[in-house]
């Protein structure tokens, strides 16, 4: 009998190894069409079992557009099968940690890709203690003073790294700004400032042919300009980190569920994706949903990490 134990163990190990090697990642993209993949559906506290905010837009099986890169999204990007060389544009809504900390990790991974094209990136101008996009990149990547000076090639295209093409948008403007376009594929990304307390913050609208998806960013929902910006979109991604009873600082930063429902109804969006959860909103999830449903009659998806939404 003893002779069989090593053989049995060997067989078991081989089975496990084969299973690991052949397990397919949770690929979102069909080879054709458009889909949104939620890389991170959580907030700034590690109490929700989710990566912080990040989204990927797949076009015909390629990870072309990324919005935000909060903590944990670097891992999710890999799990999703995203490829750095396929990214056309990265939008950063604002410089809170739960929207931006994994950006530099994503850039580092690009060193190992065969990408040669520059990478377009957009984010808000500075305000208060928050840097603008250009200053954020300099503080990280400057060849003398940058925290990650070894990645300074992203600023000038040296050392085998691709040059970033940053575009700062003034969030105080009340009209949308074009941040990226790919005329051959009929892709446009526009950005608009949204009210997130004192934090300079952008919302993004992605149009691909006749289809569109809007990313609200963190916001308190008080902007009529945002309603116009998002009107008629196929998919509206809105953040629900707070319960209906929120007040004070939290209310100045974030829209309660009733306001999310009002905006989804006013914009006549086809599909509302709720994301950026925190334990304090998940604890009241059913009540929050009732507030939204009483105002908005369209379809609702409650996001989970790596979930795929075709549109
Ligand atoms: Zn946030």
């Amino acid at each position: 009998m003893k002779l069989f134990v090593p053989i049995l163990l060997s067989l078991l190990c081989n089975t496990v190894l084969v299973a690991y090697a052949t397990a397919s990642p949770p690929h979102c993209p069909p080879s054709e069409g458009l889909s949104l993949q939620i890389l991170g559906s959580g907030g700034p506290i590690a109490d929700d079992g989710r990566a912080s905010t990040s989204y990927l837009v797949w076009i015909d099986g390629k990870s072309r557009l990324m919005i935000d890169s909060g903590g944990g999204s670097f891992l999710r990007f890999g799990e999703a099968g995203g490829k750095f060389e396929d990214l056309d544009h990265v939008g950063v809504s604002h410089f809170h940690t739960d929207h931006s900390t994994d950006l530099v990790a994503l850039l580092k991974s690009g060193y190992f890709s065969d990408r040669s094209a520059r990478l377009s990136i957009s984010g808000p101008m500075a305000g208060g203690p928050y840097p603008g996009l250009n200053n954020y990149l300099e503080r990280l990547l400057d060849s003398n003073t940058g925290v990650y000076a070894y990645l300074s090639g992203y600023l000038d295209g040296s050392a085998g790294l691709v040059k970033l093409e940053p575009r700062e948008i003034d969030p105080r403007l009340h009209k949308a700004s074009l941040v990226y376009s790919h005329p051959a594929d009929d892709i446009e990304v526009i950005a608009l400032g949204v009210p997130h307390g004192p934090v300079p913050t952008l919302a993004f609208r992605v149009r691909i042919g006749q289809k569109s998806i809007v990313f609200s960013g963190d916001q308190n929902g008080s902007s009529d300009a945002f309603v116009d910006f998002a009107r008629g979109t196929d998919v509206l991604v809105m953040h629900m980190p707070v319960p209906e009873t929120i007040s004070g600082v939290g209310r100045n930063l974030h829209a309660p569920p009733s306001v999310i429902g009002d905006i989804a109804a006013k914009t006549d969006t086809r599909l509302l994706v709720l994301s950026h959860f925190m334990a304090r909103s998940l604890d009241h999830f059913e009540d929050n949903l009732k507030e939204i449903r009483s105002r908005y009659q369209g379809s609702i998806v409650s996001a989970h990490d790596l979930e795929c939404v075709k549109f």
Side-chain angles (χ1 to χ4, degrees):
M1 181 66 187
K2 279 182 182 171
L3 283 173
F4 289 104
V5 171
I7 297 171
L8 189 59
L9 276 175
S10 170
L11 283 171
L12 279 172
C13 287
N14 283 341
T15 305
V16 170
L17 285 171
V18 169
Y20 176 79
T22 57
S24 56
H27 273 273
C28 180
S31 55
E32 289 184 357
L34 310 176
S35 44
L36 160 71
Q37 189 161 26
I38 292 97
L39 296 184
S41 58
I45 306 178
D47 62 353
D48 47 28
R50 300 159 184 260
S52 297
T53 305
S54 183
Y55 307 103
L56 204 54
V57 176
W58 293 86
I59 304 174
D60 295 337
K62 294 198 168 178
S63 53
R64 302 274 301 263
L65 304 161
M66 187 172 185
I67 302 295
D68 280 344
S69 48
S73 60
F74 169 74
L75 173 63
R76 296 283 187 255
F77 183 79
E79 290 175 327
K83 287 197 167 72
F84 183 79
E85 53 267 43
D86 287 343
L87 287 172
D88 286 352
H89 183 78
V90 177
V92 184
S93 67
H94 63 295
F95 292 107
H96 273 160
T97 56
D98 54 323
H99 298 258
S100 57
T101 49
D102 272 10
L103 175 63
V104 72
L106 180 73
L107 292 178
K108 171 60 193 173
S109 74
Y111 172 78
F112 301 97
S113 76
D114 58 5
R115 183 188 186 105
S116 58
R118 295 181 174 193
L119 178 60
S120 168
I121 181 170
S122 61
M125 282 183 178
Y130 299 94
L133 174 64
N134 292 334
N135 186 234
Y136 179 79
L137 294 174
E138 282 169 19
R139 288 189 192 178
L140 287 175
L141 305 173
D142 183 87
S143 59
N144 293 313
T145 59
V147 174
Y148 303 108
Y150 79 114
L151 298 176
S152 65
Y154 279 110
L155 296 182
D156 60 14
S158 65
L161 301 174
V162 299
K163 189 172 187 298
L164 296 177
E165 291 191 325
R167 183 174 173 82
E168 275 191 356
I169 301 300
D170 185 347
R172 294 164 300 188
L173 293 176
H174 293 293
K175 65 184 183 71
S177 303
L178 180 70
V179 295
Y180 174 77
S181 71
H182 191 302
D185 290 347
D186 202 12
I187 300 170
E188 266 188 2
V189 183
I190 57 176
L192 176 77
V194 288
H196 184 37
V199 191
T201 301
L202 300 176
F204 293 94
R205 180 168 182 143
V206 174
R207 182 188 64 75
I208 307 146
Q210 300 298 312
K211 298 282 189 171
S212 67
I213 178 167
V214 171
F215 299 90
S216 71
D218 286 1
Q219 60 161 298
N220 62 27
S222 64
S223 167
D224 290 336
F226 175 72
V227 172
D228 291 337
F229 178 78
R231 200 180 301 283
T233 187
D234 293 285
V235 183
L236 173 61
V237 181
M238 288 209 68
H239 294 169
M240 195 169 76
V242 297
E244 189 63 27
T245 52
I246 192 71
S247 61
V249 172
R251 179 63 188 90
N252 191 37
L253 291 169
H254 296 293
S258 59
V259 174
I260 293 174
D262 284 340
I263 291 174
K266 283 185 201 166
T267 55
D268 200 24
T269 185
R270 186 173 62 79
L271 173 66
L272 172 64
V273 176
L274 299 172
S275 185
H276 195 304
F277 299 113
M278 295 173 69
R280 64 183 179 179
S281 61
L282 290 170
D283 286 348
H284 303 273
F285 185 79
E286 290 306 321
D287 290 337
N288 292 352
L289 207 53
K290 272 186 203 157
E291 293 287 347
I292 295 171
R293 284 235 177 269
S294 68
R295 292 163 172 84
Y296 170 67
Q297 315 307 319
S299 300
I300 298 175
V301 167
S302 171
H304 294 87
D305 288 15
L306 294 174
E307 187 165 2
C308 187
V309 178
K310 287 188 192 177
F311 65 100

